[in-house]
Amino acid sequence: VIKEHVRRQLSDIHVAVVNSVVDLATHVDDPDMLHEWLVEFIALNPKVSGCGVAFEPNYFPEKGQWYELYAKADSSGTIHVKEIGGPSHDYFSAQWYQGAKNVQTSYWSDPYLDESGAGELIMTYAIPVCNRKGKMVAVFGADLSLEGFADYLAEIDSLNADTIAMWDPDRLGSHSFLLGRDGTYITHKDKSRILRQNFFKMAMMTPDTIDDGVVRDMKKGVEGYAQLDIVSVPSYIYYTPVKHTNWQVVT
């Protein structure tokens, strides 16, 4: 169930980006229209926490070497667009920008802290933007807030716990989180773990060898489950890869 919720959340952003990028390409030479376009994209896609379009060096000579517009809604729901490209925000070297440029297709970036635009931990679904001649001129990115995503998973866990309690009051319910390709926590109810601790490394340090097998499966992208003790509580752990990413959903 958790896997399907995660897949749907990511799929909705994927579909929104892929379906919109052709329309975006018609506005790449008009910065004023880009402002309006980004505001409309955020308004139509509430699962996107922010979005931006970042241009190749000196695409607009009058704008300088860097030109990136970023849109995000404030706490009142008002959407603001700002220019964030510059020497202190050299997006040309950013993973999301380089990834889309190098693979020439859409993809999910690794989680990162975006201080210039989003102001929080995010993952970006990035896609190259081409002009009418098919030349890449920019990268468009739609962001997913890690904190918001963690809260979303917590809501699903809470609903699952209520259902479990109806059938077996002695069970403690479930807890789900998302792992990156190297085992780093992308989401977790203990937010101090996010991007700071690694499930693979922690599992390898325990005397229990069952979780070592779980880690080997995860690295292979294998779906499975195991029974083991977690802080002395007999538990089941379920894990499954997330399609189109190198992530694992763990419950």
Side-chain angles (χ1 to χ4, degrees):
V1 176
I2 288 286
K3 175 186 176 181
E4 286 306 307
H5 282 287
V6 171
R7 185 201 61 77
R8 193 177 305 119
Q9 191 90 342
L10 301 180
S11 177
D12 286 350
I13 294 177
H14 159 80
V15 170
V17 169
V18 171
N19 287 347
S20 301
V21 72
V22 174
D23 183 52
L24 171 61
T26 65
H27 302 300
V28 291
D29 292 322
D30 189 341
D32 292 332
M33 283 298 295
L34 285 173
H35 278 74
E36 296 179 20
W37 192 94
L38 291 170
V39 169
E40 183 177 4
F41 183 86
I42 290 291
L44 292 175
N45 297 282
K47 292 180 180 178
V48 174
S49 59
C51 69
V53 56
F55 286 86
E56 285 281 81
N58 300 304
Y59 186 76
F60 297 106
E62 70 277 12
K63 299 290 186 180
Q65 183 176 0
W66 298 271
Y67 187 63
E68 179 184 5
L69 293 173
Y70 189 82
K72 182 179 176 67
D74 62 21
S75 57
S76 69
T78 303
I79 301 170
H80 302 276
V81 180
K82 58 182 179 179
E83 296 183 22
I84 61 174
S88 62
H89 178 58
D90 183 11
Y91 58 81
F92 301 131
S93 59
Q95 188 223 10
W96 59 268
Y97 189 91
Q98 284 294 324
K101 182 175 182 178
N102 292 336
V103 301
Q104 287 295 299
T105 188
S106 57
Y107 90 115
W108 279 103
S109 77
D110 289 335
Y112 64 100
L113 174 62
D114 179 19
E115 296 179 307
S116 300
E120 61 178 328
L121 293 170
I122 58 172
M123 299 178 288
T124 298
Y125 192 68
I127 190 170
V129 182
C130 299
N131 61 17
R132 294 177 181 177
K133 296 181 181 180
K135 179 182 178 182
M136 194 202 99
V137 297
V139 170
F140 173 61
D143 299 334
L144 178 65
S145 164
L146 287 194
E147 183 172 357
F149 197 51
D151 291 342
Y152 172 74
L153 290 183
E155 290 179 14
I156 304 301
D157 278 332
S158 180
L159 292 173
N160 287 344
D162 291 342
T163 302
I164 291 170
M166 291 173 58
W167 295 97
D168 189 345
D170 294 329
R171 293 196 180 187
L172 298 179
S174 66
H175 161 51
S176 302
F177 52 89
L178 198 61
L179 298 177
R181 69 190 70 196
D182 65 347
T184 299
Y185 288 98
I186 296 177
T187 68
H188 196 276
K189 65 179 180 181
D190 177 3
K191 294 182 179 180
S192 67
R193 295 191 185 191
I194 298 175
L195 299 191
R196 294 187 180 93
Q197 294 185 22
N198 187 291
F199 177 84
F200 293 173
K201 293 179 180 178
M202 293 170 69
M204 291 299 184
M205 293 171 63
T206 66
D208 191 345
T209 58
I210 297 176
D211 53 11
D212 298 349
V214 169
V215 168
R216 286 193 293 271
D217 279 353
M218 289 181 175
K219 288 181 177 180
K220 295 175 184 176
V222 175
E223 181 175 342
Y225 71 95
Q227 185 175 6
L228 67 166
D229 285 353
I230 299 178
V231 290
S232 301
V233 178
S235 307
Y236 282 99
I237 181 170
Y238 300 86
Y239 46 94
T240 183
V242 181
K243 191 176 182 181
H244 302 309
T245 72
N246 291 308
W247 308 334
Q248 291 273 344
V249 178
V250 184
T251 301

